[in-house]
Amino acid sequence: MKKRLFNTFFNELNKTPPYNERSNESEIQLKEQDISTQYEQNLTTFKSIFSYPQNTDIKVREFTIRSLNRRGFIIFISTMVDSKSIQETIVEKLIENQVPSGNISDIISYPMERTAANIGEITEYICGGVTALFIDGDSQCYIFETTEVRGRGIEKTDNEIIVKGAKESFNERVADNIGLLRKKIKNENLIVESKVISKRSRNDVFLVYEKDLVNNELLQKIKERLDSIDSDKILDLSILEQHLEERPRSLFPTILYTERPDRAASYIEEGHIILLMSNSPSCLIMPATFWSLIHSPEDHYLRTPYGNFIRILRFAALFVAVFTSSLYIAITNYHVGMIPPDLLMAIAGTRERVPFPSIIEILMMEMAFELIREAGLRVPSPIGPTIGIVGALILGQAAVQANIISPIVIIVIALSGLSSFIISDISMNFAIRLARFLFILVAGFLGIYGATAFFMAALFYLVSLKSFGVPYFAPMTPHSISSKDLIVRHVPFKERFRPGYLKPKDLVRQRKG
């Protein structure tokens, strides 16, 4: 009997939509309608939508328009607009001026952006920082672009520091970011296209590309991926990046994140597509390959020999950061015969009184190094470097004197940790740091043979990755026409082609080289 009553109640509960769902449906239906010509109805509707006067930064100003002898009201969000300018150029003009024509554009000195009639469209405009004017008897409202969002100016980037080259970085104002790109690409084919991607926060994402270069299939694929996102809020590009990736749980990133407008502009000129977003001091570059994540924006500012030297040093540091600790464990535990006798005696002498096996030593010091690194980043900047240096010196020296860690382990960890700092991309840097721990565990159990097998499996995995249809190791494999800007780059006048894996509309970058 109880079971039957419970099933009946559960079925009725499923038939009846919850209160929030019913209210959401009525709100959606309201926003699909057009505004009324009746003053009181429009005033009541928008006060209800924006919870006025409970919502304290929503301002409603009611007045009588003398030249029309009709009532009107404006509604805006005071924290996103210039309230003084609205009062002087809109409200006072409507109240005081007498214009025989009765044309709104003749009465108000403030430029009118557009008109709108749909309630949902007007609501989105108001949430974006515009001012909406409603007049009794009119079937549409008047939109004025009064947005004045506060933010910081254009500053230097903190994460992608270079010695030679531009110093500007993106900030949280998307209008400034678009302006920085247009300042570098003075071309009528540069397209800035906007899309709304979230239901509640209704944030705009801007796709920036050159229409005479970008591959239409790639552009359509990115638009479809954006349209498929079903989320209430996406407040930052870092969150959007996780929604867009084909393998969000992958250790290696497939989208390039940068704060530098010069770097973004160079990728646009090659046929890539970038995404900008309000409140995000960065952009996403798509598609991205392994090589683009390893390269630094400074490589092309330096003369070719200097840039190639730094780039080769970076690739060497990549292997040092990943393999140094694991090779030390594998050789000291399983392949002692590979060590020269003198070096073997030196290592044995330093480890004579250490009570832990080498894998425990390495893991302890790797974790300590990561703790010091993160502590240096999180504390206030004046004492951050001090914590890193003092912490490493004191911790390392104390551990050696206490016979917990051997001196050679300190050298191995320091070399491995310093090498990881040379990788400038944040996501790739994390991937290398995490991969180092995986190689340490494999080498600790299976030696060099296990580390080699794991490296081959990781290589096969990387080859299988794709970024919006582009293979991760392109143009090396599969091979395609490009400027061959992989490990060693040519002098600028020899870089004749754009990346062939993007299939741009114009493959040739320069006709003579």
Side-chain angles (χ1 to χ4, degrees):
M1 181 68 180
K2 290 182 179 179
K3 185 175 181 181
R4 187 166 63 251
L5 288 173
F6 176 78
N7 290 336
T8 304
F9 172 76
F10 186 76
N11 292 334
E12 291 298 324
L13 188 64
N14 285 337
K15 292 177 184 178
T16 307
Y19 173 77
N20 290 337
E21 187 176 334
R22 294 199 302 271
S23 60
N24 287 339
E25 287 178 359
S26 61
E27 186 177 342
I28 291 171
Q29 290 174 0
L30 175 63
K31 289 182 178 180
E32 290 176 351
Q33 299 174 8
D34 289 343
I35 62 173
S36 171
T37 55
Q38 297 180 6
Y39 175 86
E40 294 294 343
Q41 184 175 341
N42 289 334
L43 184 61
T44 304
T45 298
F46 281 91
K47 280 185 175 181
S48 174
I49 289 175
F50 287 100
S51 303
Y52 180 85
Q54 179 185 358
N55 208 348
T56 55
D57 64 342
I58 299 295
K59 303 301 180 185
V60 178
R61 299 281 187 268
E62 299 184 60
F63 45 82
T64 300
I65 304 172
R66 293 181 59 189
S67 58
L68 302 178
N69 195 24
R70 286 190 284 173
R71 292 183 300 170
F73 73 90
I74 60 171
I75 181 170
F76 57 88
I77 301 176
S78 60
T79 51
M80 298 183 69
V81 301
D82 184 358
S83 300
K84 183 179 179 182
S85 176
I86 292 173
Q87 180 66 26
E88 293 175 353
T89 59
I90 298 178
V91 177
E92 291 180 3
K93 297 289 184 181
L94 288 170
I95 295 174
E96 298 172 0
N97 284 8
Q98 288 281 2
V99 179
S101 67
N103 191 351
I104 294 297
S105 59
D106 294 335
I107 300 173
I108 301 175
S109 58
Y110 205 96
M112 187 172 66
E113 188 73 12
R114 61 182 70 85
T115 60
N118 180 263
I119 292 176
E121 185 181 1
I122 296 168
T123 302
E124 289 188 14
Y125 282 137
I126 296 171
C127 290
V130 305
T131 298
L133 167 63
F134 297 83
I135 299 176
D136 189 15
D138 284 4
S139 60
Q140 58 186 3
C141 85
Y142 304 91
I143 303 297
F144 300 94
E145 187 63 58
T146 55
T147 308
E148 188 185 64
V149 180
R150 286 78 177 173
R152 63 188 176 100
I154 299 170
E155 303 170 355
K156 291 183 179 180
T157 176
D158 293 328
N159 298 321
E160 296 175 90
I161 301 173
I162 63 173
V163 177
K164 192 174 183 180
K167 301 297 188 291
E168 296 172 328
S169 71
F170 290 127
N171 63 15
E172 284 77 10
R173 285 174 55 87
V174 72
D176 291 347
N177 298 341
I178 295 171
L180 288 171
L181 291 176
R182 288 203 176 272
K183 185 176 74 171
K184 297 180 183 300
I185 306 176
K186 300 179 178 67
N187 193 318
E188 69 279 4
N189 292 308
L190 183 65
I191 304 297
V192 180
E193 190 175 343
S194 66
K195 274 184 172 293
V196 179
I197 56 165
S198 50
K199 295 178 181 178
R200 284 190 175 272
S201 53
R202 291 197 292 270
N203 289 312
D204 287 323
V205 170
F206 296 86
L207 292 90
V208 186
Y209 57 91
E210 288 199 40
K211 67 178 182 180
D212 61 336
L213 288 180
V214 71
N215 180 269
N216 290 331
E217 292 182 6
L218 175 63
L219 179 61
Q220 187 61 32
K221 186 176 294 185
I222 292 174
K223 287 182 178 180
E224 289 175 357
R225 192 74 58 82
L226 287 170
D227 291 335
S228 66
I229 296 174
D230 184 15
S231 177
D232 277 355
K233 66 170 186 176
I234 297 177
L235 301 179
D236 192 85
L237 278 175
S238 301
I239 302 173
L240 178 62
E241 178 184 2
Q242 300 173 58
H243 284 273
L244 290 175
E245 285 185 313
E246 294 179 7
R247 299 186 185 180
R249 294 181 179 85
S250 173
L251 199 61
F252 288 85
T254 54
I255 296 177
L256 179 57
Y257 176 98
T258 182
E259 297 177 357
R260 300 186 58 85
D262 57 334
R263 193 179 192 188
S266 68
Y267 277 98
I268 292 173
E269 292 282 5
E270 289 183 347
H272 289 77
I273 298 168
I274 76 165
L275 297 184
L276 296 171
M277 191 173 176
S278 299
N279 308 315
S280 294
S282 56
C283 76
L284 299 179
I285 300 174
M286 300 174 293
T289 62
F290 175 82
W291 313 106
S292 62
L293 292 160
I294 294 296
H295 294 169
S296 167
E298 193 174 19
D299 292 348
H300 287 271
Y301 289 120
L302 297 173
R303 294 181 67 244
T304 304
Y306 313 152
N308 285 335
F309 169 72
I310 297 299
R311 189 173 284 185
I312 292 171
L313 187 65
R314 189 180 303 118
F315 275 94
L318 171 65
F319 285 95
V320 170
V322 174
F323 296 113
T324 303
S325 299
S326 57
L327 283 177
Y328 171 78
I329 294 173
I331 290 174
T332 53
N333 283 1
Y334 298 97
H335 312 282
V336 181
M338 297 176 63
I339 308 176
D342 293 340
L343 180 59
L344 178 61
M345 295 300 295
I347 294 174
T350 60
R351 298 199 69 254
E352 184 178 0
R353 301 180 62 184
V354 175
F356 303 112
S358 56
I359 185 172
I360 300 298
E361 281 186 274
I362 291 289
L363 287 174
M364 287 171 57
M365 290 309 298
E366 286 283 5
M367 291 301 298
F369 190 90
E370 293 296 331
L371 287 172
I372 293 172
R373 184 206 298 251
E374 290 301 315
L377 290 174
R378 303 291 177 253
V379 298
S381 56
I383 61 173
T386 307
I387 284 184
I389 296 171
V390 174
L393 288 175
I394 293 176
L395 184 64
Q397 184 66 23
V400 171
Q401 289 182 351
N403 293 321
I404 297 174
I405 304 295
S406 59
I408 194 169
V409 168
I410 301 293
I411 298 172
V412 168
I413 297 300
L415 184 62
S416 176
L418 289 174
S419 297
S420 67
F421 280 111
I422 203 170
I423 308 300
S424 59
D425 185 80
I426 298 173
S427 298
M428 182 58 76
N429 189 285
F430 271 108
I432 290 168
R433 288 158 61 185
L434 292 173
R436 182 167 68 229
F437 281 98
L438 295 177
F439 275 100
I440 287 171
L441 294 175
V442 172
F445 289 103
L446 300 172
I448 286 182
Y449 298 112
T452 304
F454 186 71
F455 174 70
M456 296 301 296
L459 198 59
F460 291 150
Y461 173 75
L462 289 175
V463 171
S464 71
L465 289 178
K466 288 187 177 181
S467 176
F468 298 93
V470 174
Y472 205 50
F473 278 105
M476 176 179 284
T477 174
H479 179 72
S480 60
I481 296 175
S482 71
S483 61
K484 300 179 181 178
D485 184 15
L486 300 177
I487 299 177
V488 176
R489 71 177 181 88
H490 294 295
V491 289
F493 52 83
K494 288 291 185 181
E495 296 179 351
R496 293 189 55 199
F497 300 102
R498 293 185 173 87
Y501 54 82
L502 293 175
K503 299 178 183 177
K505 293 175 182 176
D506 185 7
L507 184 61
V508 181
R509 177 185 292 164
Q510 51 187 352
R511 305 298 170 183
K512 295 181 180 180

